[in-house]
Amino acid sequence: MNPLSNWVHAVLDIPDGGLKRERAASAEERAAIVTQLRLLSLDALDAAYRIDRLAGGGYRLHGRVTAGLEQPCVVTLDPVAQTIDDEFDTEFWPEVVARDGEQDARVLDGRDVETLENGALAAGRVIFETLSATLDPYPRKAGAEFQWQDKAVGEVAKISPFAALSKLKDKT
């Protein structure tokens, strides 16, 4: 389950001029995100966004997510600090139906397109997905190097492929 699932806005509550919000994740929400994304810590998660009405019954959610967090190094498991600062831009429509290439045009213009569910925009889901997509998939502490050698492979590598032939040569 999305830890920010309560960050939703009913479309009936969005005025004609749009809605502007700034939110910060609570300690409980941050703890749930740490568990779900397997982070070491999440010191802050803030989002500033705006929801605008679009012609035809759609809505545009756009803004910025910032976070300070620590992930485990893939080599040493030591903490690796990371600062997230990324933008998101998503359209919500009552129905997302492809009509004569219209859906393709929306995908190509760079915005994600979502379906409105139960008359509400899931801002928290978009923010959570932006955070998780922005994480470094292989965080590495500065100077950390992976050095491993399989002993069995090392022993095989020392044996020359011509060793068996040289034994035959000595017998003849």
Side-chain angles (χ1 to χ4, degrees):
M1 180 175 180
N2 177 359
L4 305 177
S5 60
N6 63 341
W7 292 21
V8 279
H9 299 280
V11 294
L12 297 175
D13 296 338
I14 300 171
D16 291 337
L19 181 70
K20 187 176 181 180
R21 290 284 184 261
E22 291 185 12
R23 296 194 73 165
S26 68
E28 295 82 21
E29 291 167 332
R30 291 193 322 268
I33 292 170
V34 164
T35 301
Q36 195 162 2
L37 296 180
R38 297 180 181 164
L39 303 173
L40 296 177
S41 68
L42 179 59
D43 299 326
L45 173 62
D46 300 306
Y49 57 90
R50 182 170 175 80
I51 302 171
D52 295 310
R53 289 180 180 260
L54 300 174
Y59 297 86
R60 178 181 177 209
L61 169 68
H62 55 103
R64 177 175 297 281
V65 61
T66 58
L69 55 96
E70 287 184 334
Q71 292 180 270
C73 173
V74 295
V75 177
T76 65
L77 300 180
D78 290 336
V80 177
Q82 184 178 1
T83 301
I84 302 290
D85 187 355
D86 201 13
E87 296 179 350
F88 54 90
D89 195 352
T90 305
E91 289 184 8
F92 288 84
W93 293 90
E95 280 185 41
V96 178
V97 179
R99 285 174 260 165
D100 300 327
E102 184 179 324
Q103 177 67 23
D104 294 336
R106 282 194 197 147
V107 169
L108 294 176
D109 78 4
R111 289 190 190 131
D112 292 331
V113 179
E114 304 276 341
T115 303
L116 281 170
E117 295 179 9
N118 302 322
L121 288 110
R125 181 176 50 78
V126 172
I127 292 164
F128 177 77
E129 289 173 358
T130 301
L131 172 68
S132 62
T134 309
L135 292 174
D136 184 350
Y138 302 104
R140 185 177 289 224
K141 185 177 176 181
E145 291 185 30
F146 184 69
Q147 296 177 355
W148 178 79
Q149 184 176 3
D150 187 354
K151 291 180 182 179
V153 171
E155 291 172 7
V156 171
K158 291 179 184 177
I159 300 173
S160 167
F162 299 104
L165 291 175
S166 66
K167 289 180 185 177
L168 292 174
K169 184 178 179 184
D170 293 341
K171 291 182 180 179
T172 56

